[in-house]
Amino acid sequence: MMARTAVELSPRSIEREAAGRRRPLARVSRRAKSPSPDSGVRRLGIADLGSNTARLIVFSYEPGRWYRITDGIREPIRLGEGLSRGQTLAPAALKRAAAAIELFVDYARTSGLDGLEILGTSAIRDAVNRDELLERIDRLGQRIRVVSGEEEAALGVAAVANGFRYEDAWVIDLGGGSAQVSRMRERRYDHGTAHPLGALRLSERFLRSDPPKRSEIRALESTVEEELGELIARLDGSLPVVAIGGTVRNLARMSQKAVGYPLQVLHGYRLSREALEDVTAQLLAVKLKKRRRIPGINSDRADIITAGALVFRWLMRRSGLRHLVISGHGVREGAFYRHFLPAPYVLPDVRGFSIENRAARHPLPPGHAEHVRFLADRLFDGLAPLHQLTARNRELLDAAATLHDIGTTLDYYRHHKHGSYLLTISPLNGFCHRELALIALLVRYHRRGNPRLGEYGSLTEPGDRRRLRQLSACLRIAESLERARASRIKDLRVTIKRKRVRITVQAAEQPMIEIWEASKHANLFRRAFDRKLDIEADVSVRRL
Amino acid sequence: MMARTAVELSPRSIEREAAGRRRPLARVSRRAKSPSPDSGVRRLGIADLGSNTARLIVFSYEPGRWYRITDGIREPIRLGEGLSRGQTLAPAALKRAAAAIELFVDYARTSGLDGLEILGTSAIRDAVNRDELLERIDRLGQRIRVVSGEEEAALGVAAVANGFRYEDAWVIDLGGGSAQVSRMRERRYDHGTAHPLGALRLSERFLRSDPPKRSEIRALESTVEEELGELIARLDGSLPVVAIGGTVRNLARMSQKAVGYPLQVLHGYRLSREALEDVTAQLLAVKLKKRRRIPGINSDRADIITAGALVFRWLMRRSGLRHLVISGHGVREGAFYRHFLPAPYVLPDVRGFSIENRAARHPLPPGHAEHVRFLADRLFDGLAPLHQLTARNRELLDAAATLHDIGTTLDYYRHHKHGSYLLTISPLNGFCHRELALIALLVRYHRRGNPRLGEYGSLTEPGDRRRLRQLSACLRIAESLERARASRIKDLRVTIKRKRVRITVQAAEQPMIEIWEASKHANLFRRAFDRKLDIEADVSVRRL
């Protein structure tokens, strides 16, 4: 079966386009409020004018070093309204879109953004009267970049390449007007297709009753089948399927709220087939007024979300996929990386960057976290014969060591709990949620307490309790050996015996407080490694 | 009835002592790690060697500007062990104390503190062989300042004067060895008495059975009666009674845990008579092993806390006081203010300083919070005929406006919730817990949502729901009118009519995004003030 209206996307044209496009930002006037140019901090607004929503995100960043989102404006514009019946943007929709752009431009100019890039997607590219809108925007002194389906797909892939650790994946970006299905190969856009399967478009075309009738659902599904039927055999679970867009974010949030998910993080969430069946059934069971009130759903999306849910449900049912991986990042983030990074716009180390980016957000006196990380690694390596954990676990330990004290920026008292909180409210890109929970727990237990999986138990795997205990023991002893935060202990050796483990620390002088503090954790060590702990100092190291 | 062993404390001798004491810090070697002298940031350790615990707190600060606690070491030393039977420090106790000091000195030297001040209290001042300990400490190159009962009382009062908004109060500091009862008048130490009623001392002397027998309790209580009987008539509820010390902090924490208290803050907690009766009964009902496991109790204090609870219970029963106000700050903080502030070591504005100190902790681009505060105040004043709220409420609005965006330092998304979290984990000195909850709620609802008291309902008063709604409306509209964070709206006027309120904003140009954003909150405004909201711009203001 051929995809009826799919647009085939080829990689070459993308590269050509990218090469010719060097920061096509509209100039906006600088205001005294903006950071001085030599501070190196830039503030860039990236907006997209979708079929359902216009949304602006402000990125503050130093190129290549760190970034964070510092503002955002979201306006439901329903630009694609009526597009399922013809190819013309409705006058009211056009007016709403122009008003949103005017707001964005006003905001950008007044707040002193260094640049404002506005992307136009499916609704605009499909409309025969799109020039009417573009001219109105031109009159505001702003340009809008109408991206092809191919470029939109590639921007989604860029977001995934920089937001996950995957080398290869399928990426499905379902918007209000269209859905892009792309193949990422070695972290680059390889090929893809664009389909007229956006939530607003399908909703208008098929779901005229509230709640939808069975016949309407069947008609929708048979269109999805026509469009995506060919793809199904390739979604065989051998590669992750990453889902992008407001629709799937809402579905994921609904599912998280329904089960009391223990992390406040969407990015990286695995939406299982069962969970998707549940939320879709819930959406189909009620009328719009009740749908608006379902926790996790934006009320201005409640009328069209069912159509999007039906697309994903069909996909899961037909392919036998076990779960979708939700991306919190999409075309806007994909576009941002073209400003943040040099070509080819791919972070060399997603996990490493994500940890450093988080550490930059919570600045601490230098040296301590790095040294704790060094000592924790030395313990991990020295104890390898006992724990036999893979290098992947060492990465968790490294992340926790680097971030263990970020909670002190909130309050010194209970800073282990604050640090743990910080890790459960935002993603660490490249780590799955199970890993994120383990890192949060390592931070939680870096000073005291008996390490337990607790509320994160539902995210973990067999063996994680032991893993947590062993990594906690490494981190806590490393932290203790850095008690005076002055790198007094230069190195350490681990000697494993049948019933005991000896840690010999090297220093230029007797490290009194470090050994006193580390010795307190002999009990945790025994529970973790089933050995008694001896700590001794080798003070033969000469002071330089 | 005369206080049998109370030491009368007079204010004059304190002043004399204070005048002769100018930063008597031991010199500790500087290390490369300490902040460079010209950064202006100092790190000072203040420790006290109490009868039960030795505890070091590290303050990082710029004199007069901001401070925060950045490290701490706590070691149970039981220095006062056996002192109830004689006047001699036991050899083992002496050894533990010396070891703790050695740790503190090692830490201070290695971590590069700018100074270390160690205070010795009741156990040391009462012991005939105290010179043995002082000589051992001398050999470490460290001095210890043995404070008189009077000075200890005055340090407690200094902590209260700078930690609360009270002008006058009673201050009761119950430690391991002694209890000081002081009268604060106009934020200064006025007079006080020291009594041999510390928790360790009473426990050793009276509570030999586990759990204690009725006869033991009666004997303890009759000693308390002899010591404090005279005081009772003066604790008539006309002045707040502020309680200091590890014992009462543990009792308060126990009570908070028992009821699922909605704030993670001890300082400023009101421990009611009923709550104290409950926790005391709980302590009396079980043996030591179970007491150690009661949530909120430090396990190394579980053996003596009952005695302390009995002192406070007696005080509440006999005086008819409704509640104690718990201070999280004590002699260490009192001593710190002598370094942080110029004489007479009293913050001119406790609330204002506390808000600024918190804002300094979460640095944000300048200007925005100040302008939101300005606009919120203008709204509050303009709407006064409708809300008729006192100036005290304006202070809540000011605090919330100054701190409304601190959550963005955690993450932009849901920053209203993160900001609210930040306000519920540490005290804002000078605000009671009800006020703290209201400020947290104002931050919580500064962007969206229908303001509700929710989990803080138990802390609030009749009328607070309406108050929250009205103040939220002021803050949210002010925030919206500062949407571009560029102070574009210079001022505003409020015109109240029978069914409508008009806000006229003044700007040099049409403030498009501000009015668009503010208009979204007309519903909240109507619920708060029972008027429809019109917002209009007066752009006759000339740009300078």
Side-chain angles (χ1 to χ4, degrees), chain A residues 73-87:
Chain A
I73 303 176
R74 181 178 182 280
E75 184 69 355
I77 53 169
R78 285 291 155 93
L79 181 58
E81 198 170 65
L83 271 188
S84 62
R85 290 184 297 274
Q87 297 290 305

Side-chain angles (χ1 to χ4, degrees), chain A residues 69 71-72 75 103 106 110-111 264 361 408-409 411-412 414 418 421 425-426 483-484 488 513 516, chain B residues 69 71-73 75 103 106 110-111 264 361 408-409 411-412 414 418 421 425-426 483-484 488 513 516:
Chain A
I69 289 169
D71 208 344
E75 184 69 355
L103 277 178
D106 183 57
T110 311
S111 79
Q264 296 181 49
R361 179 155 213 152
T408 61
T409 60
D411 198 354
Y412 172 74
R414 296 186 301 270
H418 304 319
Y421 172 82
I425 61 170
S426 329
R483 186 64 187 86
R488 176 153 66 169
I513 190 141
W516 167 79
Chain B
I69 288 169
D71 208 345
I73 303 175
E75 184 68 355
L103 278 178
D106 183 58
T110 311
S111 78
Q264 297 180 50
R361 178 154 215 152
T408 61
T409 61
D411 198 352
Y412 172 74
R414 295 186 302 270
H418 304 320
Y421 173 82
I425 63 171
S426 327
R483 185 64 188 85
R488 176 153 64 170
I513 188 139
W516 167 79

Side-chain angles (χ1 to χ4, degrees), chain A residues 145-159:
Chain A
R145 187 149 71 85
V146 180
V147 295
S148 64
E150 182 165 37
E151 192 178 356
E152 190 175 353
L155 290 174
V157 168

Side-chain angles (χ1 to χ4, degrees), chain A residues 184-202:
Chain A
M184 177 174 82
R185 197 183 295 276
E186 294 177 0
R187 308 183 65 210
R188 306 290 166 83
Y189 174 77
D190 187 73
H191 65 273
T193 47
H195 307 264
L197 297 177
L200 173 59
R201 191 184 297 252
L202 290 179

Side-chain angles (χ1 to χ4, degrees), chain A residues 325-344:
Chain A
V325 179
I326 308 303
S327 172
H329 308 162
V331 290
R332 285 175 298 261
E333 285 80 4
F336 168 69
Y337 286 109
R338 295 183 172 248
H339 300 273
F340 182 66
L341 297 174

Side-chain angles (χ1 to χ4, degrees), chain A residues 270-285:
Chain A
R270 290 172 170 225
L271 181 64
S272 71
R273 184 157 26 140
E274 297 72 31
L276 182 63
E277 289 281 357
D278 287 349
V279 299
T280 312
Q282 202 187 337
L283 291 170
L284 286 170

